[in-house]
Amino acid sequence: GEDSRSFHVSIQAPLSIVSIGETYSVTAVAGGQLILECPEDAVPPPHIEWHRERSPLQEDARRQVLAGGRFLQIRALGAADGGEYSCRATNALGDTSLRIQVEVHG
């Protein structure tokens, strides 16, 4: 006989986070899911924008911005998803940004 099961594993970043100045480094596994967080609890609530390699992030079936920009979810990770991601939070009092270097290992 044969028995099979499938499991959905969700891994939330930060996974092995290392701070390099203002840049964080995240390592993820190919084929998995990655959720990056832009931890901004400013008042008034900020407008959050995500960028990849310094260009505005284009959402698609695998890359979605959630919770008003606070999270970036990337599904079915591949080597091409590696690189520098950044989020910029802006409100009437100013703005701040966070850079995240993502490495995908197969």
Side-chain angles (χ1 to χ4, degrees):
E2 201 174 292
D3 187 16
S4 67
R5 292 182 185 180
S6 63
F7 296 93
H8 178 75
V9 178
S10 172
I11 301 172
Q12 293 195 348
L15 304 173
S16 54
I17 273 248
V18 184
S19 177
I20 311 166
E22 293 180 1
T23 302
Y24 289 89
S25 177
V26 176
T27 302
V29 179
Q33 169 177 278
L34 182 66
I35 297 178
L36 302 177
E37 181 180 3
C38 194
E40 223 14 88
D41 293 320
V43 177
H47 170 71
I48 298 175
E49 293 178 349
W50 283 92
H51 291 77
R52 180 170 185 271
E53 301 295 349
R54 307 195 188 283
S55 297
L57 182 88
Q58 300 299 316
E59 288 186 74
D60 56 31
R62 294 188 314 107
R63 294 188 288 198
Q64 293 184 307
V65 176
L66 309 172
R70 181 161 184 158
F71 298 100
L72 171 61
Q73 177 185 42
I74 307 170
R75 290 195 288 253
L77 282 165
D81 291 310
E84 184 182 275
Y85 291 79
S86 62
C87 66
R88 180 174 176 150
T90 308
N91 71 7
L93 304 176
D95 65 77
T96 185
S97 62
L98 172 73
R99 288 194 302 272
I100 306 164
Q101 187 69 36
V102 173
E103 283 187 45
V104 179
H105 294 282

